[in-house]
């Protein structure tokens, strides 16, 4: 079900940029634009090489320094594609040598800003190649070493020019976190006598991309103005990108919903643990969920005392949520006019964009069908991104609970939100 992450043995971060929805309702075409970690890890006469060639790639853009290519190799030559080295970074630095006190988000956002400032010639050429590949309908892949920073910057520019919302661009950046452990293992295998001292190595917290995009707006006014005024590309390039890389969305399998039962307990534990790991990777400064914190007993109790729902895409479970009929720990004693949504969680490897919002809507329908007029939820007060997500779905902040006892350790502060349904 996961079309975005394309599996290889040696490549850990090869992704299709297709499927994202734009501001005008179109979607990025699948199979036309890929991003990756270092393609120098590919070797001829291997299953990885055969899998790569089967994608039909016609252009490879290598964003690394020439000295990186000399040290670690480049994609093997093949008559089916052309190869271009466009080193967009001009001020080298060694992430592995950074000390633990370096905060990844502001540090890397500043490096991204340097690349946008220094690498105008190479970024301009890369964007032109991507637009030209779109015209010929020939797949293109761009990559750096880990497929995170230089690759993430170029991906953000392209997706922004295509009209993909900023939050989606940020989420695409964070997907590198699914490859972090393997990228770290690669580094350790290549440096068996050295210690990796920087905890941020290979990680992609959302704040890096959010800070970079905010800085881009501050410096240049917008991505569009950066491209036209700083890179010197005219307005036709974004139009060409949209014309060639976007399409009207094809019908996808409908999300379906059902109540969970005893047979789903292991699935619910897995979903919750994977969501907790994703939160830890993308927002390590926010202590909210911990893997292993909830077991089957928790979900059995929730099924017995309220409702637990699963979201399916075909036969694949892509998300779940809990629906409570009272929540005295957060809201105190209340009349039976509201229901309370908890543990809204999606599988970030299989859930299509918008799954979380769709599950919220389904939960609200269930609340209305139960003759209740208010949908309520809470989020930990130190998570402004989650609060903004719920506010974007129509929820209003109505209070704070400074000492919620969620029976998961120490009490914690939560923001209370509600939405009137009828």
């Amino acid at each position: 079900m996961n079309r975005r992450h394309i599996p290889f043995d040696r490549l850990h971060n090869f992704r299709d940029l297709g499927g994202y929805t734009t501001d005008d309702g179109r979607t990025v075409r699948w199979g036309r634009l890929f991003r990756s970690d270092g393609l120098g890890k590919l070797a001829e006469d291997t299953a990885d090489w055969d899998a790569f060639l089967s994608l039909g790639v016609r252009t490879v853009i290598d964003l690394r320094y020439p000295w990186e290519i000399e040290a670690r190799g480049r994609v093997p030559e093949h008559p089916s594609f052309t190869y271009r080295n466009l080193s967009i970074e001009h001020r080298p630095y060694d992430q592995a040598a950074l000390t633990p006190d370096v905060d990844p988000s502001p540090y890397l956002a500043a490096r991204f800003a340097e690349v946008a400032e220094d690498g105008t010639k190479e970024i301009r050429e890369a964007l032109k190649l991507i637009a030209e590949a779109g015209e010929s309908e020939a797949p293109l892949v761009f990559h750096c070493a880990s497929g995170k920073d230089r690759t993430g910057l170029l991906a953000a520019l392209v997706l922004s020019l295509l009209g993909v919302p900023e939050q989606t661009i940020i989420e695409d950046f964070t997907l590198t976190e699914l490859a972090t452990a393997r990228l770290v293992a690669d580094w350790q295998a290549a440096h068996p006598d050295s210690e990796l001292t920087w905890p941020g190595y290979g990680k992609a917290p959302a704040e890096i991309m959010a800070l970079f995009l905010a800085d881009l707006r501050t410096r240049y006014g917008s991505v569009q103005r950066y491209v036209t005024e700083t890179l010197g590309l005219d307005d036709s390039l974004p139009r060409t990108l949209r014309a060639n890389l976007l399409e009207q969305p094809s019908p996808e399998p409908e999300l379906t919903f059902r109540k969970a039962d005893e047979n789903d307990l292991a699935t619910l534990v897995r979903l919750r643990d994977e969501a907790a790991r994703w939160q830890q990777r993308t927002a390590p400064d926010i202590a909210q969920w911990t893997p292993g914190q909830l077991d089957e007993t928790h979900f059995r109790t929730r099924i017995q005392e309220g409702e637990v729902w699963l979201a399916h895409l075909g036969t694949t479970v892509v998300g779940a949520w809990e629906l409570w009929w009272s929540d005295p720990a957060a809201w105190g004693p209340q009349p039976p006019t509201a229901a309370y949504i908890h543990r809204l969680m999606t599988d970030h490897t299989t859930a299509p964009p918008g799954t979380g919002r769709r599950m919220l809507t389904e939960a609200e329908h269930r609340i209305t069908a139960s003759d209740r007029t208010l949908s309520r939820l809470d989020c930990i007060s130190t998570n402004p991104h989650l609060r903004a997500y719920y506010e974007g779905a129509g929820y209003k902040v109505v209070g704070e609970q400074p000492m919620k006892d969620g029976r998961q350790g120490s009490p914690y502060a939560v923001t209370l939100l509600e939405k009137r349904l009828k």
Side-chain angles (χ1 to χ4, degrees), residues 212-225:
F212 167 64
L213 292 174
D215 180 77
L216 205 65
R217 286 192 299 273
T218 299
R219 289 172 181 256
Y220 305 103
S222 66
V223 172
Q224 177 79 31
R225 288 183 61 184

Side-chain angles (χ1 to χ4, degrees), residues 398-414:
V398 294
E400 297 282 333
Q401 166 55 275
M403 294 290 286
K404 178 181 176 180
D405 182 4
R407 299 180 183 179
Q408 298 173 15
S410 302
Y412 49 93
V414 295

Side-chain angles (χ1 to χ4, degrees), residues 293-304:
Q293 198 172 39
L294 300 180
D295 57 15
E296 292 187 5
T297 300
H298 165 85
F299 290 104
R300 182 179 291 109
T301 300
R302 298 322 317 163
I303 290 171
Q304 292 169 350

Side-chain angles (χ1 to χ4, degrees), residues 361-374:
T361 301
E362 185 66 22
E364 292 161 6
H365 290 164
R366 176 60 183 150
I367 295 169
T368 301
S370 302
D371 292 327
R372 302 202 177 200
T373 59
L374 292 171

Side-chain angles (χ1 to χ4, degrees), residues 189-239:
H191 305 84
D193 299 322
S194 301
E195 181 182 357
L196 187 61
T197 59
W198 193 45
Y201 185 87
K203 294 184 178 179
E207 189 180 11
I208 295 174
M209 183 55 66
L211 288 172
F212 167 64
L213 292 174
D215 180 77
L216 205 65
R217 286 192 299 273
T218 299
R219 289 172 181 256
Y220 305 103
S222 66
V223 172
Q224 177 79 31
R225 288 183 61 184
Y226 169 74
V227 168
T228 56
E229 298 177 10
T230 302
L231 300 186
L233 293 167
D234 61 36
D235 291 338
S236 66
L237 184 127
R239 290 198 301 269

Side-chain angles (χ1 to χ4, degrees), residues 327-378:
D327 185 7
W331 295 82
Q334 294 286 329
T337 57
Y340 305 81
I341 300 171
H342 284 274
R343 265 166 286 282
L344 188 79
M345 48 195 179
T346 59
D347 184 333
H348 289 272
T349 64
T350 60
T355 295
R357 187 68 64 85
R358 181 71 182 85
M359 291 195 301
L360 266 181
T361 301
E362 185 66 22
E364 292 161 6
H365 290 164
R366 176 60 183 150
I367 295 169
T368 301
S370 302
D371 292 327
R372 302 202 177 200
T373 59
L374 292 171
S375 176
R376 288 175 173 163
L377 46 80
D378 64 73

Side-chain angles (χ1 to χ4, degrees), residues 258-305:
R258 67 173 177 86
K259 283 186 183 179
D261 58 31
E262 285 275 336
N263 297 319
D264 300 306
L265 296 176
T267 297
L268 290 164
V269 172
R270 175 186 61 79
L271 273 174
R272 205 273 184 180
D273 285 349
E274 290 177 355
R277 293 187 186 97
W278 181 82
Q279 283 187 359
Q280 288 181 337
R281 290 191 300 263
T282 57
D285 56 323
I286 298 173
Q288 184 163 352
W289 287 3
T290 303
Q293 198 172 39
L294 300 180
D295 57 15
E296 292 187 5
T297 300
H298 165 85
F299 290 104
R300 182 179 291 109
T301 300
R302 298 322 317 163
I303 290 171
Q304 292 169 350
E305 296 183 357

Side-chain angles (χ1 to χ4, degrees), residues 55-70:
L55 296 172
V57 169
R58 294 294 178 265
T59 307
V60 173
I61 301 176
D62 190 336
L63 302 175
R64 297 174 299 165
Y65 290 98
W67 56 262
E68 287 180 276
I69 298 168
E70 183 177 351

